[in-house]
Amino acid sequence: GWITVLDSVPDINMIDWLPDFLDGLFNMLSDSNREIRQSADSALSEFLREVKESSVVEFGPMVAILVLQCHSKERLNRLTAI
């Protein structure tokens, strides 16, 4: 989707904006459309890789979202958040 397109632009650091759309990506994991679920999972995996490689990340806002997702009724959301 558009998030991964923006993430591929070298001059845009999407990690800075991740807290703004992270919850939405998690919500897409429970979409009824398989392609949307796969795209969200792929984007989340890529962002996790980028976070691991980044030297500066503001974890506070993301941790709050991950904790909420750990309590989701959706199993995939919980497992991905962990």
Side-chain angles (χ1 to χ4, degrees), residues 1-9 12-26 28 39-57 59 62 66 80:
W2 63 269
I3 291 174
T4 53
V5 170
L6 286 174
D7 191 38
S8 68
V9 176
I12 301 175
N13 184 4
M14 291 298 286
I15 297 299
D16 293 341
W17 301 99
L18 187 56
D20 295 329
F21 58 85
L22 183 60
D23 195 53
L25 280 175
F26 270 98
M28 291 169 64
S39 292
D41 184 57
S42 176
L44 285 165
S45 295
E46 177 62 21
F47 283 119
L48 176 59
R49 185 191 64 74
E50 290 179 28
V51 165
K52 287 179 177 179
E53 292 177 355
S54 182
S55 59
V56 177
V57 177
F59 287 105
M62 288 187 281
L66 293 172
T80 305

Side-chain angles (χ1 to χ4, degrees), residues 3 9 13 19 22 25 30 35 37 39 43 57 61 64 67 69 72-73 75 77-78 82:
I3 291 174
V9 176
N13 184 4
L22 183 60
L25 280 175
S30 59
E35 289 181 27
R37 290 192 310 267
S39 292
V57 177
V67 168
Q69 288 296 330
S72 172
K73 63 179 178 154
R75 182 175 187 269
N77 290 43
R78 292 191 310 266
I82 291 171

